[in-house]
Amino acid sequence: ETLAVGGVTLPGFGAAYIALADAPVEAASPFTYDGSTLKTPFAEITFDENGYIASFTDLPSGRELRKPGGAPLNVFLFGEDVPLTYDNWDVDHDVIENLLPVCGLMGRTVVSDGPVLIALRSEFALENGGAITQDIIAYADSPRVDFHTRIRWNNPHRLLKAGFDLDVCAARARSEIQFGAIERPTTANDSRELAKYEVCNRNYTDVSEPGFGVSLLNDCKYGVTVTDCNIRLSLHRGGTHPDFTGDKGRHEMTYSLLVHEGAFSAENTVYPAYMLNVPAVTAKGEAEIAPIVKIDAANIICEAVKPAECGEGTVIRLYECEGAKTAVCVSLKGAEKAVLTNLLEDPICALPVENGEVKLLFRPFEIKTVKF
């Protein structure tokens, strides 16, 4: 059992106190589900007979996400995976082309429905006794839709992907790498573009138009194929070398579909991806903790706050996440002196400090380390 809490804003690197009571919640659920159509405050989702999303209408924009003539959204694609070399590392191009939908829906039930969220649990059968249990979770205060997935795997030399054929017109897809992102074409017009059929995807992949976009977030699955804005997220595969049992057993993951207004930005995609990957920590007690670190530019991400390796002081590591040159003010509570360092925390130069605040200038995707 899990307690769902909504409508709370937590300060970055801080804490908020939430009082709990035994009284029942009186607020009504904002969701409706009739067995085939789910309506949330942000979307209307219709499921087909196989349990996949036949239609996803974004209510604020009125746009249909599923591409005309495309496969259903969140379709499980499954097929043989026997690479020519490097069994546990390579995914060959012909494998991607030959994946087929899993049509093994065994049932769907509502496991939670309240003022905070609704969760629909689906069961799918795989060959060799394998199975997928997935909770589709929609929220009352966020357009993000989570797909919390548990897999029982006993399928050597098979590949499983989740597919989203999106009706978005974007010539390039942006996928996160550590401390930044990289753009790659969504087309396969030449051999170089064709070779990018399976690429790195750390916390998100985003396809955006100037005023609209869709991000596919994930918490632990880092391979993705994007062709013509059809996103195929790799969920699991059954390599047998060097360990023929290494991929068997139970596996758990969450990926999320997030529709956003406007083009790609830190607020639209990067922040929600961090929220999925670094969930809030809860503890018993009463405390209101103001943010330790404050940053006045949304696209400057504080990736780490840690004690200095040598001597006294606190080290923070920041990076620019949108690919834009940015001037920013960064403050650390109680800071009196500041030194710009390299990644090994060797000092580079002193920084002027005024009321615990320093001013920095970032180049696109630049990483900076500051010792306070």
Side-chain angles (χ1 to χ4, degrees):
E1 294 184 351
T2 302
L3 175 65
V5 179
V8 177
T9 300
L10 299 178
F13 295 104
Y17 170 65
I18 302 171
L20 299 181
D22 291 331
V25 176
E26 297 180 355
S29 167
F31 309 98
T32 59
Y33 176 63
D34 62 6
S36 62
T37 299
L38 169 65
K39 191 166 184 179
T40 79
F42 299 93
E44 185 169 325
I45 305 169
T46 302
F47 300 95
D48 63 18
E49 64 276 8
N50 295 316
Y52 301 129
I53 298 174
S55 172
F56 190 116
T57 303
D58 176 57
L59 297 181
S61 67
R63 289 185 54 158
E64 169 63 52
L65 293 195
R66 182 185 176 185
K67 182 177 296 181
L73 304 184
N74 191 42
V75 58
F76 289 123
L77 300 170
F78 184 78
E80 188 178 54
D81 174 26
V82 185
L84 291 176
T85 54
Y86 304 111
D87 185 68
N88 259 316
W89 287 265
D90 278 359
V91 177
D92 291 348
H93 187 265
D94 62 338
V95 170
I96 305 294
E97 295 179 332
N98 294 326
L99 298 178
L100 296 175
V102 174
C103 298
L105 178 66
M106 296 187 291
R108 171 172 286 153
T109 57
V110 179
V111 293
S112 180
D113 184 6
V116 175
L117 60 81
I118 186 170
L120 309 179
R121 179 164 297 167
S122 306
E123 303 278 349
F124 296 86
L126 293 175
E127 62 183 39
N128 295 333
I132 301 171
T133 301
Q134 183 177 77
D135 291 349
I136 300 177
I137 305 170
Y139 298 94
D141 59 358
S142 171
R144 195 181 93 188
V145 178
D146 291 349
F147 302 90
H148 181 206
T149 308
R150 296 172 295 280
I151 300 173
R152 186 173 72 243
W153 189 266
N154 188 31
N155 307 96
H157 288 135
R158 296 292 185 271
L159 174 65
L160 178 68
K161 279 179 170 282
F164 293 83
D165 287 11
L166 300 173
D167 191 14
V168 178
C169 184
R172 304 183 73 82
R174 186 187 303 248
S175 296
E176 191 191 41
I177 56 177
Q178 192 171 24
F179 298 114
I182 187 168
E183 291 186 352
R184 295 184 176 91
T186 60
T187 53
N189 293 327
D190 54 43
S191 59
R192 293 185 180 183
E193 292 184 357
L194 184 64
K196 300 171 184 177
Y197 61 87
E198 182 81 0
V199 298
C200 176
N201 159 76
R202 187 169 172 255
N203 290 343
Y204 64 79
T205 287
D206 178 82
V207 288
S208 288
E209 301 169 2
F212 181 84
V214 181
S215 299
L216 187 63
L217 319 177
N218 80 92
D219 69 347
C220 63
K221 296 299 170 182
Y222 304 134
V224 70
T225 300
V226 184
T227 305
D228 194 25
C229 293
N230 300 336
I231 301 178
R232 306 278 193 265
L233 180 68
S234 295
L235 300 183
H236 201 63
R237 61 192 303 235
T240 59
H241 180 78
D243 184 354
F244 65 91
T245 65
D247 290 315
K248 291 184 178 181
R250 299 181 183 272
H251 306 268
E252 187 171 357
M253 66 218 67
T254 299
Y255 55 95
S256 307
L257 189 69
L258 177 65
V259 181
H260 58 79
E261 295 182 3
F264 169 86
S265 69
E267 296 99 322
N268 285 343
T269 301
V270 181
Y271 287 7
Y274 269 102
M275 292 176 191
L276 177 65
N277 280 268
V278 190
V281 177
T282 59
K284 293 183 178 180
E286 296 185 26
E288 294 282 350
I289 303 174
I292 301 170
V293 178
K294 292 183 179 180
I295 305 168
D296 71 355
N299 59 316
I300 304 301
I301 304 295
C302 183
E303 179 71 21
V305 179
K306 59 184 286 294
E309 294 292 328
C310 297
E312 297 181 350
T314 300
V315 168
I316 66 172
R317 183 158 294 124
L318 311 107
Y319 74 97
E320 195 285 319
C321 71
E322 291 180 353
K325 192 172 184 179
T326 305
V328 62
C329 293
V330 179
S331 62
L332 184 72
K333 190 175 181 180
E336 298 176 351
K337 296 188 295 182
V339 178
L340 184 67
T341 76
N342 61 18
L343 290 173
L344 298 176
E345 300 179 22
D346 301 321
I348 297 175
C349 64
L351 297 171
V353 180
E354 185 176 345
N355 298 323
E357 184 178 274
V358 298
K359 295 182 179 180
L360 300 170
L361 179 63
F362 282 80
R363 299 190 306 274
F365 300 124
E366 184 179 8
I367 307 168
K368 286 187 184 291
T369 305
V370 181
K371 178 180 178 181
F372 284 95

